[in-house]
Amino acid sequence: MASFPPRVNEKEIVRSRTIGELLAPAAPFDKKCGRENWTVAFAPDGSYFAWSQGHRTVKLVPWSQCLQNFLLHGTKNVTNSSSLRLPRQNSDGGQKNKPREHIIDCGDIVWSLAFGSSVPEKQSRCVNIEWHRFRFGQDQLLLATGLNNGRIKIWDVYTGKLLLNLVDHTEVVRDLTFAPDGSLILVSASRDKTLRVWDLKDDGNMMKVLRGHQNWVYSCAFSPDSSILCSVGASKAVVAAILV
């Protein structure tokens, strides 16, 4: 039987309470949403919260506004309340950095989510070329979505626009993680038994393919200094790779 270490107060855990609910709309004839919610993610700066609402839809919510509504109205469902509905930003206008709610149609079942933020002084690790399609600034915030068809779509959080469509995995993308150093290095873990390393500052070019797993890869994580990547899959082993 599992037990908590001495430093953990079990009574404090029991006291934890629900502060609010975010529910996907019930739409039995709409194959975009309304099914199981499989994944959630917070932006590194806490500005946004994202979760998959079902088949194809991801909802981006400004977390501070959402939390404020929770505290004001208890567990009332913010999503389905017209009086509490958060403002949405049109993809073609509005202030870029002002948090707005977005609903993103990813085109396929969403298995994984990850936020990434840019640090301008971090150069591309892949190639040193002067021209890039995208030049990410310091205030850039990206959302990566891993899909059932093996694709990874990269979205601008502030506008809801699709920026990149990464195509190389042949099976479900089970997990995504950005390097914590602001380099916009993205790693994807897939059922095709591989992990792939992408450099978003180099227009999403794939840097490496890691093939240490013999079965599906479920999850991956960077070390705090972004030099080591660890991953687990359908086996009893943890695979570590040095990326520097």
Side-chain angles (χ1 to χ4, degrees):
M1 182 176 178
S3 61
F4 294 102
R7 66 179 180 277
V8 177
N9 188 336
E10 294 184 48
K11 293 182 180 179
E12 291 295 327
I13 295 176
V14 174
R15 289 180 195 171
S16 63
R17 63 186 179 86
T18 301
I19 63 169
E21 278 187 311
L22 295 170
L23 300 177
F29 301 108
D30 184 354
K31 293 186 178 181
K32 293 182 181 181
C33 61
R35 294 298 182 97
E36 295 178 356
N37 300 309
W38 286 346
T39 184
V40 295
F42 275 104
D45 62 358
S47 60
Y48 274 91
F49 175 76
W51 89 98
S52 63
Q53 290 193 321
H55 283 292
R56 296 162 40 176
T57 304
V58 170
K59 189 162 189 174
L60 280 163
V61 178
W63 183 245
S64 61
Q65 298 175 40
C66 186
L67 185 59
Q68 183 179 15
N69 285 333
F70 282 156
L71 296 177
L72 288 174
H73 302 277
T75 60
K76 190 172 183 179
N77 178 17
V78 174
T79 306
N80 290 345
S81 173
S82 58
S83 61
L84 298 178
R85 190 171 299 278
L86 299 172
R88 295 184 189 175
Q89 176 178 336
N90 188 293
S91 297
D92 298 323
Q95 297 178 11
K96 180 180 179 182
N97 294 344
K98 186 177 181 181
R100 299 295 182 94
E101 177 184 303
H102 297 290
I103 295 179
I104 297 173
D105 184 354
C106 296
D108 204 346
I109 298 172
V110 180
W111 282 80
S112 50
L113 297 171
F115 283 96
S117 56
S118 174
V119 177
E121 57 268 21
K122 283 287 183 180
Q123 300 299 318
S124 168
R125 296 184 188 179
C126 186
V127 292
N128 185 18
I129 58 177
E130 295 183 358
W131 183 88
H132 288 89
R133 181 181 174 191
F134 297 104
R135 294 188 181 275
F136 298 114
Q138 188 172 8
D139 61 349
Q140 193 76 38
L141 185 60
L142 306 178
L143 177 70
T145 56
L147 306 182
N148 189 68
N149 58 12
R151 297 193 174 197
I152 302 164
K153 293 187 176 182
I154 310 297
W155 308 84
D156 185 322
V157 171
Y158 299 125
T159 65
K161 287 184 177 181
L162 177 64
L163 299 179
L164 294 168
N165 192 1
L166 309 180
V167 182
D168 206 70
H169 282 297
T170 58
E171 295 287 346
V172 173
V173 179
R174 285 294 305 267
D175 195 22
L176 294 164
T177 185
F178 278 95
D181 61 2
S183 60
L184 289 184
I185 299 298
L186 174 69
V187 175
S188 53
S190 173
R191 282 185 182 176
D192 64 11
K193 305 178 185 178
T194 70
L195 296 107
R196 295 174 191 263
V197 185
W198 314 84
D199 187 352
L200 300 194
K201 285 197 173 183
D202 191 25
D203 295 336
N205 284 333
M206 188 175 63
M207 298 166 56
K208 296 179 181 179
V209 180
L210 306 177
R211 304 182 185 274
H213 289 271
Q214 301 302 312
N215 295 291
W216 293 355
V217 189
Y218 291 152
S219 182
C220 55
F222 273 101
S223 61
D225 64 357
S226 303
S227 65
I228 297 175
L229 178 74
C230 291
S231 57
V232 294
S235 65
K236 297 181 179 180
V238 177
V239 177
I242 299 176
L243 296 183
V244 175

